[in-house]
Amino acid sequence: MSLYDEIGGEAAINAAVDVFYRKVLKDDRIKHYFDGLDMVKQAAKQKAFLTLALGGPNNYTGEDMRKGHAHLKGLNDSHFDAVMENLGATLTELNVPGHLIAQAAAIAESTRKDVLNR
Amino acid sequence: MPKVVYGGQSYESAGKSVLECLTAQGVSIPSSCHSGLCQTCMMRAVSGAVPAKAQAGLKDALVAQNYFLACTCYPEQDIEAVLAADGLDKQQAMVTKVEYLNADILGIRLKPSQPFEYRAGQFINFFKDADTVRCYSLASVPGIDDELSLHVRKVPGGQVSGWMFESLKAGDAITISEAAGDCFYLAGKPEQNILLVGTGSGLAPLYGIIRDALRNGHKGKISLYHGSYNTEGLYLVDELRKLAQAHANFSYVPCVSEGAAPQGYAYGMVLDVALEGHPDLSGWRVFLCGNPDMVKAAQQQTFLAGASMGEIFADPFG
Ligand SMILES: Cc1cc2nc3c(=O)[nH]c(=O)nc-3n(C[C@H](O)[C@H](O)[C@H](O)COP(=O)(O)OP(=O)(O)OC[C@H]3O[C@@H](n4cnc5c(N)ncnc54)[C@H](O)[C@@H]3O)c2cc1C
Ligand code: HEM
Ligand code: FES
């Protein structure tokens, strides 16, 4: 069984989207990157983010991640760490077991080079 | 093999998704994730059934209007599709009444020439001429009002609103599109509380949505905040006060942001007043219409106050 299915599939992601995005918008370290973006489109994009981080079905490539974040000026490790932290806190809040959170963190971590365009 | 019809051309789907099928033929459809997540490739079916899988994750209001994601849509029968923004039918309508709702807002009634299906709160395209088109929200409710009604605010130097204020009159024949947009009331959760926040002519869709909800026997709170600079900028005040007297679950707070607020009015920016009254919006449904800056800020702030993203409906008027 994949991590995505073990966590609860699409239903779990839907529950996580609101919790995660509320944390991001309240996080002074990163919220400016999301200011003024269309909330409705963001709901879908946050869902895409979580699906990817939780190993769900997606067709994103490393190249897509590079292109998708290239326009975010000054993006660095501290921002990436903040997102990782919010992801972990979201899954904890939704009572996802620790060993699954660790797996999700590892998948998200694997995108660091691409997201930060190195 | 099912066919995909787009832009007057017909293509064999050959087991491919609508997106793959169209892009393979050189038709450009915006897309990003190719896995039904980002909703960039949204289209609308004007005929043919959409497989349920292609609507996974879309809001109920969009599903109800046959929107779907092209990248996850593997047609099981012929399907005719348009880009989400295009493809609205047009028809003639007759202006039956033009009246001032206040010094800056015109109430316009229209009688469509053909049967007109819509949901209270949706908008139409209004054609001044073939190339000059603007969106206006419907303030009328199917089943309550015989005619369509619009509230148009005078925009200084406005091509279309200016023209309406100067020369539109009863008896004129004009062109409108069919109704579109997902800012409307869906029955099905009668106990849910509803918050509505609008500025200026942003009251138009809210006035329709409120009366539609009440007509459907909505049981939860329905809480309306309407804001302007001063009392002269508000309108339908008496009608809304009467509606609030007739329905215990409907409340109406007119807000003014300049000078002092007379009795019966709240003082402050409408969004601030609304959030002060409702600091916790968990489980609420939210409708936001009017000034684009207010609407954008309100989307974020009502979400942070606990409303779920999927339950926030908004029409920025700009
Ligand atoms: C979904 C939707 C629903 C809408 N519903 C309504 C409605 O119910 N009632 C209504 O009155 N309007 C509504 N609008 C706004 C409407 O479509 C027009 O944008 C507005 O009437 C101005 O058009 P115009 O041709 O008069 O002005 P234009 O000639 O387009 O603009 C003239 C000048 O005014 C500026 N301007 C444009 N719009 C505004 C504005 N809203 N406020 C301040 N300055 C502006 C422009 O930048 C330009 O400089 C809606 C818009 C959308 C997108
Ligand atoms: C932890 C690893 C990350 C992953 C896996 C990830 C994944 C994604 C995905 C899948 C999208 C949607 C792309 C699309 O289809 O349009 C996206 C968009 C976005 N991401 Fe990330 N992301 C990560 C980190 C970050 C960080 C650190 C930031 C900034 C603090 C960030 C900011 C954004 C923004 C602002 C968008 C939306 C862009 C737009 O709408 O134009 N992301 N991300
Ligand atoms: S391309 Fe992302 S939903 Fe279709």
Side-chain angles (χ1 to χ4, degrees):
Chain A
M1 200 172 183
S2 73
L3 169 65
Y4 177 77
D5 291 325
E6 223 173 319
I7 284 178
E10 199 193 335
I13 304 253
N14 286 339
V17 167
D18 275 355
V19 178
F20 175 72
Y21 199 43
R22 227 171 254 132
K23 287 191 194 302
V24 166
L25 286 180
K26 285 183 180 167
D27 189 331
D28 288 333
R29 296 170 293 180
I30 49 176
K31 67 178 184 196
H32 55 283
Y33 285 114
F34 298 86
D35 234 23
L37 295 180
D38 181 324
M39 290 275 299
V40 180
K41 287 187 189 140
Q42 282 311 303
K45 293 199 173 172
Q46 296 309 316
K47 192 170 163 186
F49 162 78
L50 288 165
T51 304
L52 199 153
L54 301 179
N58 75 83
N59 297 316
Y60 282 114
T61 61
E63 196 50 37
D64 291 334
M65 284 299 96
R66 264 171 207 278
K67 281 198 196 124
H69 296 91
H71 65 293
L72 303 174
K73 291 201 177 67
L75 200 64
N76 64 34
D77 284 305
S78 74
H79 305 121
F80 194 93
D81 294 341
V83 167
M84 294 290 293
E85 212 176 291
N86 288 316
L87 174 65
T90 300
L91 298 177
T92 306
E93 196 171 317
L94 296 173
N95 296 321
V96 173
H99 69 285
L100 297 181
I101 298 181
Q103 282 181 43
I107 298 176
E109 184 58 50
S110 72
T111 66
R112 186 183 291 257
K113 279 206 173 76
D114 289 322
V115 168
L116 298 181
N117 203 11
R118 292 197 184 123
Chain B
M1 268 291 171
K3 289 188 181 54
V4 178
V5 179
Y6 175 82
Q9 300 270 8
S10 173
Y11 308 95
E12 286 293 336
S13 66
K16 292 200 209 115
S17 73
V18 170
L19 181 64
E20 289 163 337
C21 162
L22 293 177
T23 45
Q25 303 292 330
V27 181
S28 152
I29 305 288
S31 70
S32 173
C33 74
H34 296 196
S35 33
L37 297 169
C38 72
Q39 301 188 4
T40 308
C41 65
M42 189 150 63
M43 299 184 82
R44 190 168 65 90
V46 289
S47 72
V50 176
K53 263 203 143 151
Q55 297 182 312
L58 294 189
K59 280 190 187 185
D60 295 347
L62 293 173
V63 172
Q65 298 172 85
N66 296 322
Y67 284 93
F68 67 94
L69 301 174
C71 68
T72 50
C73 182
Y74 295 85
E76 287 150 15
Q77 44 175 278
D78 291 358
I79 189 168
E80 182 175 352
V82 293
L83 282 179
D86 298 343
L88 295 176
D89 279 340
K90 290 181 212 164
Q91 65 158 288
Q92 292 287 303
M94 160 103 91
V95 178
T96 56
K97 189 172 179 186
V98 179
E99 60 180 331
Y100 279 89
L101 298 174
N102 67 26
D104 286 322
I105 296 182
L106 215 52
I108 298 173
R109 293 205 185 186
L110 303 171
K111 196 178 168 62
S113 57
Q114 290 155 35
F116 190 89
E117 267 186 48
Y118 70 104
R119 293 164 189 258
Q122 287 191 299
F123 59 85
I124 54 168
N125 288 321
F126 193 113
F127 291 76
K128 175 173 178 257
D129 51 56
D131 301 320
T132 319
V133 193
R134 298 288 183 274
C135 302
Y136 293 101
S137 303
L138 292 158
S140 46
V141 182
I144 298 183
D145 304 306
D146 293 334
E147 297 176 326
L148 307 180
S149 89
L150 313 175
H151 303 165
V152 177
R153 189 174 68 91
K154 188 177 199 164
V155 169
Q159 272 192 71
V160 175
S161 64
W163 162 75
M164 286 170 163
F165 271 77
E166 263 164 41
S167 41
L168 198 70
K169 56 183 190 312
D172 287 355
I174 47 100
T175 303
I176 58 174
S177 74
E178 63 184 308
D182 69 352
C183 200
F184 57 76
Y185 177 78
L186 271 180
K189 291 185 189 164
E191 311 292 339
Q192 191 176 27
N193 293 327
I194 302 180
L195 174 70
L196 310 99
V197 184
T199 58
S201 55
L203 180 62
L206 304 182
Y207 190 55
I209 290 164
I210 290 163
R211 293 182 301 134
D212 198 24
L214 291 170
R215 189 177 76 102
N216 275 281
H218 194 83
K219 300 270 190 312
K221 283 186 205 156
I222 302 175
S223 188
L224 168 68
Y225 291 80
H226 184 213
S228 187
Y229 299 115
N230 49 38
T231 52
E232 283 92 68
L234 298 168
Y235 62 98
L236 293 179
V237 175
D238 293 339
E239 285 81 352
L240 286 162
R241 289 203 202 278
K242 267 190 214 134
L243 204 60
Q245 272 160 18
H247 298 273
N249 62 332
F250 172 58
S251 65
Y252 164 56
V253 181
C255 306
V256 298
S257 59
E258 282 176 2
Q263 186 158 24
Y265 296 81
Y267 172 76
M269 301 301 282
V270 63
L271 176 58
D272 299 341
V273 178
L275 286 168
E276 217 166 276
H278 303 284
D280 181 3
L281 293 172
S282 315
W284 284 62
R285 203 183 313 180
V286 177
F287 293 94
L288 308 165
C289 299
N291 180 292
D293 294 332
M294 186 285 286
V295 168
K296 243 185 193 173
Q299 280 178 296
Q300 214 177 78
Q301 290 185 33
T302 54
F303 171 65
L304 289 175
S308 175
M309 266 192 266
E311 304 264 27
I312 301 174
F313 302 87
D315 268 337
F317 283 6

